[in-house]
Amino acid sequence: MSNKTIPVASLGFPRIGRHRELKFALEGFWSGKISEPELLETAAKLRAENWALQQQKGITHIPSNDFSLYDHVLDTAVMVGAIPSVYAWTGGEVSLSTYFAMARGSQSEGHAGCGHGHEGHAHHGQGVPALEMTKWFDTNYHYMVPEVSEDQHFALTSQKPVDHFLEAKALGIHTRPVILGPVTFLKLAKARGAAFKPLDLLARLLPVYEELLRRLHAAGADWVQVDEPVAALDLSEGERHALTVSYQALSKAAPDLKILVATYFGGLEDNLEAVTALPVAGLHIDLVRAPGELEPVLKALPAESVLSLGVIDGRNIWRADLAAIIGKLEAAIATRGAASFQIAPSCSLLHVPVDLELETGLDADLKSWLSFATQKLGELATLGRAFGEGKATVTAELEAATKVIAERASSPKVTDVAVRSRIATIGEADRKRTSAFAERQKVQSQAIALPLFPTTTIGSFPQTPEVRKARSAHSKGALTDAQYESFLQKETEATIRWQEEIGLDVLVHGEFERNDMVQYFGEQLSGFAFTQHAWVQSYGSRYVRPPIIFGDVSRPKPMTVRWWEYSQSLTEKPVKGMLTGPVTILNWSFVRDDIARSVTCRQIALAIRDEVNDLEAAGAKMIQIDEAALREGLPLRHRDWQDYLGWAVESFRICSSGVEDRTQVHTHMCYSEFNQIIDAIAAMDADVISIETSRSKMELLDAFRTYKYPNQIGPGVYDIHSPRVPAVGEMVDLLALARQRLDDRQLWINPDCGLKTRKWEEVRPALVNMVAAAAELRRAV
Ligand code: GLN
Ligand code: ZN
């Protein structure tokens, strides 16, 4: 390679299509509307478009095999033959129906989840269950968790990376295949049955990878990108050793095939020595998340190795300061020579929307500050030209970027002085309820008459097709505001009536007016913007459009008070105010890169605090602040946990501490792993917390018992992820398990999560049974 050029790579491109073509093809196929060949044709077309686009934009290392019909981890599991026996695979090529059975279960009811598309794992009805699903590192992308058994036999069952390489080649595009590395694959896998570590199977897995590399080489590949994001995690000595062993083996498999080990989502830190010593041709590092690692990596990296510089943010949507990036890289590139480097995004562009040009409704200034996947290709190419042909060839591009960055920094749309000064005045008293829980509990039990084992629900009631239809008609203008409003009122009233009728103790309004638990609030807050087409894959065919937080956040006016007042006017029973918490709003949005996340979180907290106070002033005795995403926001490195939990808890306390002792603050968290964060949960000091427990047999309450958690808890007794109606006896049994671990006075009775994804036919009998279970319990004490 001449010294005049520097290769430019993209580590992966969104698969979903500019117009969500993949989603529609998949759903069409699942519902029998299109055939398998039609689905595959759409997929091939999307790949061809992505390759052509990247080529046209000037990317020289264009990825292949970054495409997946559902999930790249699932693809890898299938490719190496890690197919659990329930899927009745008998060897040979894996059919699409087996593939989708692993993804969605067969006789599928799909992943109902908590209805937000961010739920931590999959759930299933009858039939063959899907693999579990969980978050891909600290992103909002979910992968299917591979399952391996102690006697696991691996075999190369699919040639997908080779096929896609050849497919591109036939189109005249030479690609760099991407595969998921063996150590990351096993680290993400789950051991089935006996207690063993999936990583113990490494020696059996490596030959499959070796075979794959040989085939890629035979097909004409010169580079292969092997993703090992585990290098950004806290690794044990054994795991680090596994990386060494793997690449010693893989580098010998096809000696002329150059391996680029791609690390991302964080710095290498204590793994740096091991990773830079891997016997491979190239290493990719994430210089957006770990800008300080350029020097130490360069120092450690052998002279002949290529370093891929991840400098364009693959996780966020802001335009890059190209001149600043050049300034940071210039010296190193001059010293080592351009041929020793590649310019790249920090990670795959999978996590950003496809194309900013589709947005026609965005504020023009805001739009000029943004860069989606397609625009990021352009930024990469500009950097490539700057280092190849010289900065002078891209003066206009650099100046344009610099100008926009400066405009954004000084824009009055970004900074709100009132918010800034308010943040600065937050004091100890703003983060603390007036009295301790024991005292509050006394006041609250006088203010609100509740029986032992009070029953309630988590907030939402079924979002029926009628509700969705009305919402979409309203947004299209086919329903007037007044018509929509009266429709929502009718739904709400019917739901309040029904809750009274079956004897629930604490009611909710049902959340019919909400499109989504984050969007609904974001749309009413200053500092947030919403897109029309900026979809990002959450899992499979489920995509989300995260809000963009671009400026200081504040609440111009009350958001939910009206709905609470209306609902409470219909009943004597207490109705809970219902809000989404600051940490969840933050974690499910694209955030600013010009101020710390913790600062934005505190700003949102103040906005929610205003809402909480207004609800109290309107007469609400109970206010629930959901923090569904608090746990999933945990940083990848344990060392960073305390810092995150510190400001996350503080933010929750900011919004919950403006009320009187008599006001009962609830929170809800739909997950079931609290062991490592129980201190933080206790520090939130919510009067009542509802959590997901029905599928874990109340075992997670052990963490609360061991901790001697003093406040009240509603452990979910009804798995809302399944259409199954739980019997009274089942819930009584679960509650008996809960009573072994908690004091009776602590216990609330509620489902695991909101009911929006369920049908009324399922919800009605289930809640009737839940109320009956509470009655049975009360009789027994
Ligand atoms: N209040 C919300 C609901 O019931 C909570 C949802 C969630 O935690 N995911 O839908
Ligand atoms: Zn939930």
Side-chain angles (χ1 to χ4, degrees):
M1 179 157 313
S2 108
N3 246 347
K4 287 230 78 126
T5 55
I6 189 164
V8 181
S10 115
L11 306 188
F13 200 77
R15 318 150 173 158
I16 62 180
R18 281 164 63 82
H19 302 286
R20 290 183 287 160
E21 289 88 339
L22 185 58
K23 175 192 183 69
F24 301 123
L26 284 169
E27 290 174 355
F29 174 67
W30 293 331
S31 66
K33 283 194 205 98
I34 70 166
S35 65
E36 181 168 326
E38 285 171 303
L39 169 66
L40 298 181
E41 194 184 314
T42 300
K45 209 170 135 247
L46 288 170
R47 290 193 289 270
E49 278 170 16
N50 285 350
W51 289 324
L53 175 74
Q54 293 175 87
Q55 186 179 52
Q56 175 219 324
K57 291 275 179 182
I59 304 299
T60 53
H61 284 304
I62 297 170
S64 58
N65 195 47
D66 54 334
F67 180 87
S68 172
L69 282 174
Y70 201 91
D71 163 43
H72 55 277
V73 182
L74 176 62
D75 291 357
T76 311
V78 165
M79 181 182 78
V80 301
I83 303 168
S85 52
V86 287
Y87 300 105
W89 171 65
T90 49
E93 208 176 313
V94 180
S95 69
L96 259 196
S97 68
T98 302
Y99 178 83
F100 286 131
M102 292 171 77
R104 316 171 63 227
S106 66
Q107 201 192 91
S108 167
E109 85 125 6
H111 306 298
C114 296
H116 193 282
H118 288 103
E119 58 278 13
H121 34 68
H123 317 291
H124 19 77
Q126 303 86 346
V128 182
L131 290 177
E132 266 176 47
M133 177 166 68
T134 195
K135 277 164 61 78
W136 172 246
F137 296 84
D138 61 351
T139 72
N140 283 325
Y141 175 86
H142 300 74
Y143 68 92
M144 306 308 301
V145 181
E147 254 181 59
V148 290
S149 57
E150 200 168 13
D151 61 353
Q152 183 70 48
H153 169 72
F154 295 107
L156 195 61
T157 70
S158 131
Q159 290 239 86
K160 176 177 168 260
V162 179
D163 295 343
H164 288 192
F165 174 81
L166 293 172
E167 189 178 301
K169 194 173 166 188
L171 295 167
I173 297 178
H174 181 79
T175 57
R176 181 171 75 183
V178 186
I179 57 178
L180 182 62
V183 180
T184 298
F185 174 75
L186 288 176
K187 174 104 170 140
L188 298 183
K190 180 181 142 178
R192 181 165 10 101
F196 70 99
K197 286 212 178 76
L199 210 52
D200 297 342
L201 306 173
L202 184 65
R204 267 183 258 166
L205 177 62
L206 287 176
V208 177
Y209 271 82
E210 290 167 35
E211 173 64 18
L212 174 65
L213 294 188
R214 277 192 292 271
R215 292 198 199 178
L216 281 171
H217 184 243
D222 55 349
W223 276 98
V224 59
Q225 171 190 329
V226 189
D227 285 359
E228 291 287 9
V230 288
L233 302 182
D234 296 319
L235 295 182
S236 66
E237 213 34 70
E239 289 166 334
R240 247 174 250 148
H241 184 63
L243 283 168
T244 308
V245 170
S246 297
Y247 291 90
Q248 273 165 356
L250 297 189
S251 62
K252 288 186 204 117
D256 297 334
L257 177 62
K258 288 183 266 195
I259 296 175
L260 177 91
V261 169
T263 70
Y264 43 81
F265 300 151
L268 301 174
E269 303 186 15
D270 50 350
N271 303 323
L272 190 145
E273 207 184 316
V275 171
T276 51
L278 295 176
V280 292
L283 172 67
H284 170 84
I285 56 172
D286 183 339
L287 290 170
V288 173
R289 285 275 173 95
E293 287 206 338
L294 178 59
E295 275 181 40
V297 168
L298 278 175
K299 220 179 264 164
L301 203 65
E304 64 281 8
S305 295
V306 165
L307 184 62
S308 167
L309 306 159
V311 285
I312 293 293
D313 196 347
R315 295 287 301 275
N316 214 332
I317 39 68
W318 303 104
R319 227 170 129 166
D321 188 345
L322 299 177
I325 292 172
I326 293 172
K328 284 190 195 125
L329 302 180
E330 235 162 10
I333 293 182
T335 312
R336 261 173 100 108
S340 303
F341 294 96
Q342 296 174 5
I343 298 292
S346 60
C347 60
S348 164
L349 299 174
L350 176 67
H351 310 289
V352 291
V354 180
D355 190 358
L356 180 64
E357 284 320 310
L358 296 172
E359 301 303 324
T360 51
L362 279 182
D363 172 77
D365 286 339
L366 173 60
K367 190 170 169 185
S368 76
W369 306 336
L370 301 178
S371 173
F372 293 177
T374 305
Q375 288 67 39
K376 285 173 190 283
L377 297 175
E379 295 180 315
L380 289 164
T382 302
L383 290 174
R385 290 207 341 261
F387 287 115
E389 294 145 41
K391 265 196 284 188
T393 61
V394 288
T395 315
E397 286 90 336
L398 299 189
E399 280 174 2
T402 305
K403 182 165 159 274
V404 157
I405 305 286
E407 280 167 5
R408 179 180 159 210
S410 63
S411 168
K413 293 176 183 169
V414 167
T415 309
D416 181 335
V417 228
V419 173
R420 294 292 170 102
S421 54
R422 193 171 172 208
I423 289 279
T425 63
I426 301 177
E428 204 38 52
D430 301 314
R431 299 190 277 256
K432 220 172 144 220
R433 302 285 301 265
T434 312
S435 309
F437 173 73
E439 189 54 35
R440 300 199 302 270
Q441 192 176 23
K442 279 185 221 146
V443 187
Q444 287 165 18
S445 62
Q446 278 155 18
I448 320 160
L450 288 175
L452 192 62
F453 309 122
T455 54
T456 190
T457 62
I458 304 305
S460 56
F461 269 84
Q463 288 264 335
T464 56
E466 294 74 51
V467 173
R468 287 173 209 278
K469 230 180 279 158
R471 182 176 311 128
S472 112
H474 176 241
S475 72
K476 288 190 190 110
L479 271 189
T480 64
D481 288 353
Q483 286 169 323
Y484 183 50
E485 179 88 6
S486 90
F487 169 82
L488 292 174
Q489 284 188 351
K490 271 205 305 248
E491 292 290 313
T492 306
E493 176 170 9
T495 302
I496 293 277
R497 293 278 166 260
W498 185 78
Q499 292 174 84
E500 278 187 320
E501 206 178 289
I502 68 159
L504 281 159
D505 300 306
V506 173
L507 313 192
V508 296
H509 76 286
E511 302 183 23
F512 300 107
E513 77 289 7
R514 301 189 186 175
N515 36 18
D516 171 277
M517 65 184 286
V518 169
Q519 188 179 347
Y520 180 73
F521 291 94
E523 281 172 347
Q524 302 186 71
L525 292 168
S526 306
F528 280 74
F530 289 84
T531 58
Q532 294 161 292
H533 305 283
W535 298 98
V536 179
Q537 189 175 19
S538 172
Y539 65 85
S541 64
R542 275 276 280 271
Y543 312 156
V544 293
R545 255 181 321 182
I548 296 172
I549 306 178
F550 65 89
D552 290 338
V553 177
S554 63
R555 185 202 67 149
K557 55 180 202 307
M559 304 183 281
T560 64
V561 175
R562 213 164 50 84
W563 281 109
W564 178 81
E565 279 176 329
Y566 171 70
S567 318
Q568 187 65 79
S569 77
L570 301 169
T571 178
E572 296 295 313
K573 293 260 178 95
V575 178
K576 284 190 279 191
M578 191 60 60
L579 306 171
T580 302
V583 186
T584 299
I585 293 179
L586 181 87
N587 283 339
W588 287 347
S589 302
F590 282 118
V591 294
R592 297 169 64 171
D593 61 353
D594 56 344
I595 60 173
R597 284 169 72 221
S598 58
V599 175
T600 301
C601 198
R602 285 190 192 96
Q603 295 179 351
I604 306 171
L606 283 174
I608 302 291
R609 177 188 175 98
D610 294 343
E611 187 72 12
V612 170
N613 294 352
D614 282 349
L615 281 166
E616 180 186 65
K621 293 182 171 141
M622 301 171 171
I623 300 164
Q624 180 174 313
I625 308 165
D626 294 328
E627 283 293 22
L630 187 129
R631 191 184 185 286
E632 66 175 50
L634 281 169
L636 295 177
R637 295 272 186 175
H638 278 93
R639 184 210 45 220
D640 302 326
W641 281 27
Q642 256 199 320
D643 176 58
Y644 166 77
L645 288 170
W647 56 257
V649 169
E650 184 199 318
S651 298
F652 183 84
R653 293 176 62 128
I654 289 172
C655 49
S656 59
S657 297
V659 289
E660 306 283 341
D661 282 349
R662 68 178 145 80
T663 301
Q664 190 168 63
V665 173
H666 291 228
T667 189
H668 164 71
M669 297 184 174
C670 28
Y671 34 82
S672 47
E673 293 147 51
F674 288 94
N675 283 309
Q676 292 167 296
I677 58 165
I678 188 77
D679 304 41
I681 300 298
M684 287 169 69
D685 197 24
D687 296 304
V688 184
I689 179 174
S690 59
I691 54 181
E692 174 176 316
T693 36
S694 71
R695 284 175 295 174
S696 59
K697 302 224 165 66
M698 300 286 156
E699 274 164 16
L700 81 119
L701 289 180
D702 290 337
F704 289 85
R705 181 182 51 180
T706 314
Y707 187 85
K708 299 202 171 57
Y709 183 83
N711 303 15
Q712 298 187 341
I713 311 182
V717 293
Y718 150 33
D719 177 9
I720 62 95
H721 308 96
S722 157
R724 244 186 99 251
V725 174
V728 179
E730 269 173 59
M731 291 191 264
V732 169
D733 291 347
L734 278 174
L735 285 162
L737 295 173
R739 291 179 65 198
Q740 289 168 10
R741 294 166 165 96
L742 297 171
D743 193 87
D744 283 353
R745 316 199 124 272
Q746 284 183 289
L747 268 178
W748 282 65
I749 301 181
N750 48 256
D752 270 343
C753 192
L755 303 165
K756 63 186 152 218
T757 56
R758 297 265 62 92
K759 300 191 171 87
W760 273 107
E761 303 86 88
E762 298 152 1
V763 163
R764 281 197 198 98
L767 289 183
V768 166
N769 288 355
M770 191 184 86
V771 172
E776 192 170 323
L777 224 62
R778 287 174 198 146
R779 276 198 300 275
V781 285

